[in-house]
């Protein structure tokens, strides 16, 4: 059974391009540029990606920052308590 595009058994005509028409790529955009050209391309790609980022508002940023600081302080307290507990246990066992 075939559909408008073709079937698995019978590929479309575009899929059967002869090997003589296919040429290997030689680097694309970066093929003929020197190191400064590649660096400029890299910088332009970074700027393009940063424009896609959804940046948080100031209130979101302060909320996220305070949550992280509170979490870090709680974890520091927990590790300190566990450390003091292990220190007392070691002192008790080994004298």
């Amino acid at each position: 059974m075939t559909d408008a595009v073709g079937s698995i058994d019978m590929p479309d005509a575009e899929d059967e391009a002869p090997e003589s028409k296919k040429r290997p790529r030689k680097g694309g955009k970066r093929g003929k540029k020197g190191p400064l050209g590649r660096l400029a391309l890299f910088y332009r790609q970074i700027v393009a990606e940063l424009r896609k980022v959804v940046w948080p508002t100031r209130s979101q940023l302060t909320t996220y920052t305070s949550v992280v600081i509170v979490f870090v302080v709680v974890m520091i307290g927990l590790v300190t308590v566990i450390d003091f507990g292990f220190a007392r246990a070691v002192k008790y066992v080994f004298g």
Side-chain angles (χ1 to χ4, degrees):
M1 177 183 274
T2 62
D3 54 5
V5 177
S7 71
I8 295 173
D9 299 329
M10 291 286 247
D12 294 336
E14 293 88 22
D15 294 337
E16 294 178 351
E19 292 297 323
S20 63
K21 288 187 179 181
K22 291 184 181 179
R23 288 181 290 190
R25 291 182 55 189
K26 295 195 175 191
K29 290 182 179 178
R30 293 175 278 176
K32 297 179 182 174
K33 295 184 179 179
L36 291 179
R38 288 194 303 260
L39 188 63
L41 175 65
F42 180 67
Y43 177 74
R44 284 194 305 269
Q45 289 174 346
I46 288 174
V47 170
E49 287 297 322
L50 284 176
R51 286 188 179 148
K52 296 177 188 177
V53 174
V54 178
W55 297 99
T57 62
R58 183 174 292 267
S59 65
Q60 289 173 333
L61 188 63
T62 56
T63 302
Y64 298 155
T65 304
S66 60
V67 166
V68 168
I69 290 173
V70 167
F71 177 76
V72 168
V73 167
V74 167
M75 291 307 293
I76 288 172
L78 182 66
V79 169
T80 303
V81 168
I82 291 173
D83 185 45
F84 280 140
F86 279 135
R88 285 203 171 187
V90 168
K91 233 182 217 185
Y92 178 74
V93 171
F94 296 110

